[in-house]
Amino acid sequence: MPDADIGVVGLAVMGQSLALNMNDHGFRVAVFNRTTAKVDAFLAGPAAGTRIVGHHALPHLVATLARPRRILMMVRAGSAVDDLIGEITPLLDAGDCLIDGGNSHFRDTERRTRALAARGIHYVGAGISGGEDGARHGPSIMPGGDPLAWPLIRELFQGIAARVDGVPCCDWIGEGGAGHYVKMVHNGIEYGDMQLIAEAYLLLRAGLGLTVDEVQAVFADWDKGVLSSYLIEITAQILAVRDDDGAPLIDKVLDRADQKGTGSWTAIEALELGVPAPLIGEAVFARSLSAMKDERIRASTCLPAGPLTFGIEPQRFIERIHDALYAAKICSYAQGFLLLREAANNYGWQLDLGGIALMWRGGCIIRSRFLDDIKAAYDETPEPESLLQQEFFRDELARTLPRWRKTVAMAVGLGLPVPALTSALAFYDGYRRADLSANLIQAQRDHFGAHTYERTDRPRGEAFHTDWGRGRQGGDLG
Ligand code: 6PG
């Protein structure tokens, strides 16, 4: 007899945690995993004593689902999702709902949503953030895809999502790949936050010469103020952990950062849409540079740093780093939201940017006090050109700018690489200037390729060409 509210396919850590979370909220959950021993181990272990029912074959799981059926796939992004869709869809009927809760690329989700809509199956690509703990106790969920699916999954998703001030960190994002797109940008911002924190850590350790314990105290203190966030909090936790010999464990972790791809997808998207989001790109490249560990070790023995400067009292230095981190973070989020705005225009999505900030306030990796300020900014000015121009952030930047500049200058003087802090400042300085030097680039393009240019003293849209080598100017070519 069909009696399960939802089927979960894939019992890696996220699938298990979500199944347990749904069970806690009163939903009847059926689970399946290709390696069936995992089903048994789950039922005998974490799911013991719950109402969760396990199956050793997909058709058995599908047969126990109440209609319209709802199935959540929690498998590795890529071809495994297509393979699973190929196995599940013959077992489904029109009106059923299939959800991909992994980190799939939004273009795959677009394609799958279209293909399944043709068969009457409502497909959803749901970004789910928060790692194991979030999935277990309340993640941030970003669902998009076939809008007809939303009424079928709303209660369930909003029921298990994190809540902040009673508001669930889950709402419908938009059609097609919109949900996975927003999750991708979340991850790009996550990369930026992590890189900025790592740069602050470098300045405190290598620049100021603080011990791990001293840096731990700085981060614990920062977590009480405007930087209060999950990532700052776990940084303080990490720095407090000791190895068996009593030494800080962080010093024994190899400085080589991996990546699974969502950060570079965000940077590629920004490049493709022509949106300036350099901080996310820097964060991805910094991980790539970190991965060249052996080469860096060799280079460290032969490349000089050149003359370095240092001279500042510790407390002022810490305050400067704090403000630099905060100001760069404002720019990073402004870049992420610029990308979302452009994506909405480009892909025809009605993205509620303030609503997305709300969804990220709890459950997810980038959750922070700061997202309340972003939400408030969107409430005040629903469509600001950029968060940077919104009054609150404008004032915060004005306040923190002097220390940010000094921090970057100090880091350069010390020979310490802080690409995200530096790039964010260059972005800010570029964004706030009415005049840049792109006129010279445009003239060069016209010189070697007759690509034409617009003039400052003529209406926009008129194209001019000059024979620069001979110093002769052509007329309007438009
Ligand atoms: C989340 C995270 C998660 C991501 C990990 C690892 O929101 O819960 O973004 O989805 O997979 O952070 O990502 P990288 O391996 O690329 O660092």
Side-chain angles (χ1 to χ4, degrees), residues 50-392:
T50 68
R51 292 200 298 165
I52 297 173
V53 177
H55 298 278
H56 283 185
L58 263 180
H60 296 166
L61 171 121
V62 173
T64 65
L65 299 176
R67 290 169 188 242
R69 303 180 183 98
R70 294 172 291 189
I71 298 181
L72 173 63
M73 300 183 290
M74 293 303 301
V75 298
R76 182 184 290 276
S79 60
V81 177
D82 287 311
D83 294 346
L84 188 56
I85 292 172
E87 274 181 66
I88 293 180
T89 42
L91 307 170
L92 299 183
D93 295 312
D96 288 345
C97 177
L98 188 57
I99 307 144
D100 170 16
N103 270 334
S104 289
H105 195 282
F106 79 100
R107 289 192 198 282
D108 287 334
T109 304
E110 299 264 358
R111 168 176 60 77
R112 292 166 184 153
T113 306
R114 269 197 308 272
L116 287 167
R119 305 173 69 151
I121 294 167
H122 307 310
Y123 191 77
V124 174
I128 302 182
S129 177
E132 179 182 357
D133 201 50
R136 180 67 187 85
H137 301 292
S140 166
I141 310 181
M142 295 148 255
D146 182 344
L148 295 173
W150 184 226
L152 306 177
I153 58 172
R154 181 183 186 145
E155 191 195 338
L156 189 130
F157 273 20
Q158 293 192 333
I160 65 162
R163 281 178 179 264
V164 178
D165 303 333
V167 182
C169 297
C170 170
D171 209 340
W172 185 249
I173 301 278
E175 299 205 13
H180 273 140
Y181 195 97
V182 169
K183 175 60 171 46
M184 176 192 78
V185 175
H186 164 282
N187 279 26
I189 292 174
E190 172 187 307
Y191 271 57
D193 275 352
M194 292 167 78
Q195 177 62 26
L196 287 170
I197 291 172
E199 291 178 13
Y201 173 76
L202 181 75
L203 292 173
L204 293 168
R205 289 294 309 275
L208 199 50
L210 298 189
T211 64
V212 173
D213 286 345
E214 287 166 338
V215 179
Q216 195 279 336
V218 170
F219 277 103
D221 184 46
W222 286 358
D223 195 36
K224 296 183 195 125
V226 290
L227 291 175
S228 170
S229 60
Y230 171 71
L231 285 168
I232 294 278
E233 180 192 336
I234 65 165
T235 302
Q237 276 170 13
I238 288 166
L239 298 180
V241 175
R242 304 271 165 180
D243 200 8
D244 294 342
D245 62 2
L249 183 56
I250 189 67
D251 283 343
K252 296 188 182 162
V253 177
L254 192 73
D255 71 318
R256 187 185 176 289
D258 283 333
Q259 48 184 315
K260 288 206 280 288
T262 47
S264 62
W265 292 351
T266 318
I268 291 167
E269 256 297 294
L271 285 170
E272 284 190 350
L273 296 188
V275 175
L279 192 142
I280 295 170
E282 290 293 354
V284 175
F285 286 133
R287 288 199 193 186
S288 307
L289 182 61
S290 84
M292 300 166 71
K293 176 73 177 172
D294 296 338
E295 196 167 331
R296 287 192 289 118
I297 291 172
R298 289 190 293 278
S300 71
T301 63
C302 62
L303 292 182
L308 299 175
T309 54
F310 184 67
I312 181 156
E313 340 58 286
Q315 194 46 40
R316 288 184 59 196
F317 194 77
I318 293 172
E319 285 165 6
R320 284 180 184 174
I321 299 169
H322 172 277
D323 282 9
L325 179 51
Y326 180 46
K329 185 174 164 112
I330 293 173
C331 287
S332 176
Y333 281 64
Q335 291 173 16
F337 278 86
L338 278 181
L339 179 56
L340 288 175
R341 188 188 70 184
E342 189 53 32
N345 291 336
N346 200 67
Y347 301 118
W349 297 325
Q350 304 288 319
L351 296 185
D352 171 2
L353 300 183
I356 289 169
L358 264 190
M359 260 173 267
W360 289 347
R361 281 192 313 169
C364 66
I365 303 295
I366 64 170
R367 62 184 182 262
S368 63
R369 176 187 293 193
F370 179 72
L371 281 155
D372 281 326
D373 297 328
I374 295 185
K375 169 64 180 149
Y378 278 111
D379 284 347
E380 211 166 281
T381 323
E383 289 191 24
E385 276 200 294
S386 153
L387 285 172
L388 300 186
Q389 291 191 49
Q390 205 278 337
E391 196 184 349
F392 174 78

